[in-house]
Structure formats: structure tokens, C-alpha cells
Amino acid sequence: DVKAQSRASDARWNAGAPLSVWDGVPIAVKDMIDVKGYVKGYGTKTERKAKEEDDIMVRHFRELGAIVLGTTAMAEFGVTPLGYSALHKGPFNAYDESRFSGGSSSGSAVAVVSGVVPVAIGFDGGGSVRIPCAMSGCVGLMTSFQRIPVDDHAVKNSAVVHGGPMTGTVRDAALAYAVLARREEGHIFESEFGGEGMPVAHLDKYGKIEDLRGIRIGVFREHYEDAPPELVEAADKGLKALTDRGAQVVDIKIPNLQVLSFAHAFSISVEFASGEDWRYHNKGALESNTRISLGLGRIVT
């Protein structure tokens, strides 16, 4: 299938008629949505069924000529931020195999950082795009809630899960976001926005970064500085690069952050237990950390 996609892309380019800048670009997809011809298992061995159609997110890339290489490993049901999958015995950090890659979109991060693909699709309900990108060294974009249309029932009906791109550069993240956030007429997310539906994704002023006057960047100092000194120093350099171009840094406060953190943990664990409770009784079919997370969620459902 990958070779057939490649040959078709070559033919289009040779004819001077590529579908877009994405024509021939390889992408990978977290094991959470349907990819035609591939199994979907949410990182578990209990569900391994080949799919007949692509999810909207995959289709949007295919329509522009991107080559879908396949699905990537993930922590089982996304329950661990370490990203380790007992099913796949990994993946580990691309820079140091003695360290974790971060998760749960671990395979997508490693695929990008190791150069297998420039773009991968990830999902984030509590850090599952942001954590592996931070730990592995790539760019992750957790988009606004319901900003990217998706078919998968578990994702579409989740109160916490968002889809987003994981890329090697910020520019690639912007380009991938513009693809994923394309409007899908009739999708439930369109009606959730009300009025005319989702705003049209655009790349206005894309690449024009020399003059950032008028851009305000909020920094929650207490949270920002709660990190090893070398990380704070690196972040400060990034902020300086932005302010040197005219951006304004605004100190902000986020009240009740600890309470919000507990509320999120409560919400996501209850949601997981509500949807997957039957698995708790399927002895031996789940990894130990998954069973513990499911058990904790069951206590309050």
C-alpha cells in the first residue's frame, strides 16, 4: 500500500500536477483512529481489527497526497505519561534508549524525532501530545477542544481528548494544523460551534516572524519557573527571541491550578472507567498499570 501511494505521488509530480505541498510526504498515525487496512487497538492486544475506511483526520491528509505509513505505538489506552507499551516493548527515547519517550503518543513522537516521518498525528487528554514532545524533542500542538473533526467514537465523545499534530518544526505544526482543522460539513463539532460552524483554519502571516508587535504572550511565572534551571534558562532565551521581535510578555495568574489538576484527574479517570469497565473483569487482558488506573476510576463511577 505504501509503495502504491508512493508511485501515485511520483506520477503526479512527474506530470507537474501534485495535489498539494503534502503530496508524497509520509505521515504516521497514533493507534487511536481508523486507518484503512491497518488495525486499531488503542495500544492493547485485546482489540486488533483491520479497518475498512480512514478516519476524517487521515482522509484530510490523503486527499492532499500525503503517504500514510501506518499506525504508531502508544501506552495502553493512554494511561501512562511514560509512553511505554508492554505490547510493543517500547518505544524508548530516540536520543537515549535508557530513557522513556513520554506518552501516551510515544510512537508518534519517536517516529518524528528519529526522522521516520516529519509529521505524526497524536491525541492528548492530559498531556499525551505535549509530554512526549517535551521529553523526546519535537513540536506538539494540543489544539482547542473540538477544533479538529474526528470520527473515532471514543475521541469524539470524550470530554478531555483532543487531536493534534506532532512535528519536527513549528512551521510544520502550523501546516499540519491547517490540514487537520479543515471544516467537515455535517460533523457534530460544526454544530457545537453554532452559527456558521467552525472558523476556517488559515495561515495568515505564516512565516512572517520578524515583526511580532501586537502579540501578547502570557507567562504564569510560578508555574513557568517550577523546573530545572537549565530548562528555565532555555525557555527564557525563547521568550527573549520573541520580545526582541516586538512581542509583549504579560505576567498572568491561573488561580486554583492544583484544584483544576485534581478535577482533571478525576474527570479523565472516571471517563475511562465508564467506557471500559467491562475490561476490568477480563482477567489478564490488560497491563498492570492500565488495570490500576481503571480500578481507581471505578471507585467513583
Side-chain angles (χ1 to χ4, degrees), residues 80-99:
T80 170
L82 298 177
Y84 180 79
S85 164
L87 176 64
H88 297 289
K89 303 297 186 292
F92 293 100
N93 197 290
Y95 290 104
D96 184 346
E97 292 184 5
S98 69
R99 298 178 182 272

Side-chain angles (χ1 to χ4, degrees), residues 33-113:
I33 56 175
D34 292 0
V35 179
K36 185 177 180 179
Y38 291 85
V39 297
K40 178 179 72 175
Y42 302 98
T44 180
K45 60 185 177 182
T46 62
E47 291 186 26
R48 311 305 298 178
K49 300 176 182 178
K51 299 301 177 181
E52 298 181 358
E53 301 292 338
D54 288 327
D55 189 277
I56 294 172
M57 295 177 71
V58 179
R59 174 164 56 80
H60 280 176
F61 270 108
R62 276 202 210 269
E63 288 174 348
L64 297 178
I67 297 174
V68 182
L69 295 190
T71 58
T72 59
M74 61 174 284
E76 188 176 52
F77 290 107
V79 300
T80 170
L82 298 177
Y84 180 79
S85 164
L87 176 64
H88 297 289
K89 303 297 186 292
F92 293 100
N93 197 290
Y95 290 104
D96 184 346
E97 292 184 5
S98 69
R99 298 178 182 272
F100 288 111
S101 59
S104 65
S105 304
S106 44
S108 290
V110 172
V112 170
V113 175

Side-chain angles (χ1 to χ4, degrees), residues 80-283:
T80 170
L82 298 177
Y84 180 79
S85 164
L87 176 64
H88 297 289
K89 303 297 186 292
F92 293 100
N93 197 290
Y95 290 104
D96 184 346
E97 292 184 5
S98 69
R99 298 178 182 272
F100 288 111
S101 59
S104 65
S105 304
S106 44
S108 290
V110 172
V112 170
V113 175
S114 59
V116 176
V117 292
V119 176
I121 292 174
F123 292 91
D124 189 318
S128 289
V129 163
R130 294 160 290 166
I131 292 171
C133 283
M135 292 177 65
S136 293
C138 55
V139 178
L141 179 61
M142 178 183 176
T143 58
S144 299
F145 191 60
Q146 297 187 336
R147 186 62 181 89
I148 292 177
V150 60
D151 284 327
D152 183 81
H153 177 79
V155 176
K156 186 165 59 177
N157 294 290
S158 173
V160 292
V161 178
H162 313 233
M166 303 169 70
T167 67
T169 69
V170 173
R171 291 192 177 201
D172 284 348
L175 290 169
Y177 167 73
V179 174
L180 291 170
R182 288 164 58 194
R183 298 186 62 172
E184 188 72 19
E185 201 67 36
H187 193 277
I188 187 172
F189 288 1
E190 289 280 350
S191 62
E192 292 289 336
F193 272 80
E196 297 181 0
M198 290 183 180
V200 177
H202 65 82
L203 295 176
D204 184 37
K205 297 182 180 179
Y206 167 73
K208 296 179 181 179
I209 61 173
E210 295 309 314
D211 185 358
L212 299 180
R213 285 175 297 180
I215 301 297
R216 291 157 57 88
I217 302 171
V219 177
F220 182 17
R221 292 286 175 183
E222 183 181 342
H223 188 69
Y224 176 94
E225 294 174 356
D226 185 20
E230 60 270 26
L231 296 185
V232 177
E233 181 182 354
D236 282 341
K237 289 180 180 178
L239 277 180
K240 185 178 185 303
L242 297 172
T243 56
D244 286 347
R245 289 167 171 77
Q248 178 186 3
V249 172
V250 180
D251 288 334
I252 63 171
K253 293 285 187 181
I254 304 177
N256 305 315
L257 191 59
Q258 192 65 52
V259 174
L260 291 171
S261 178
F262 283 129
H264 170 267
F266 181 88
S267 176
I268 196 169
S269 60
V270 169
E271 181 177 295
F272 176 43
S274 297
E276 308 296 338
D277 182 69
W278 66 273
R279 298 180 191 278
Y280 188 80
H281 305 284
N282 189 5
K283 301 297 184 181

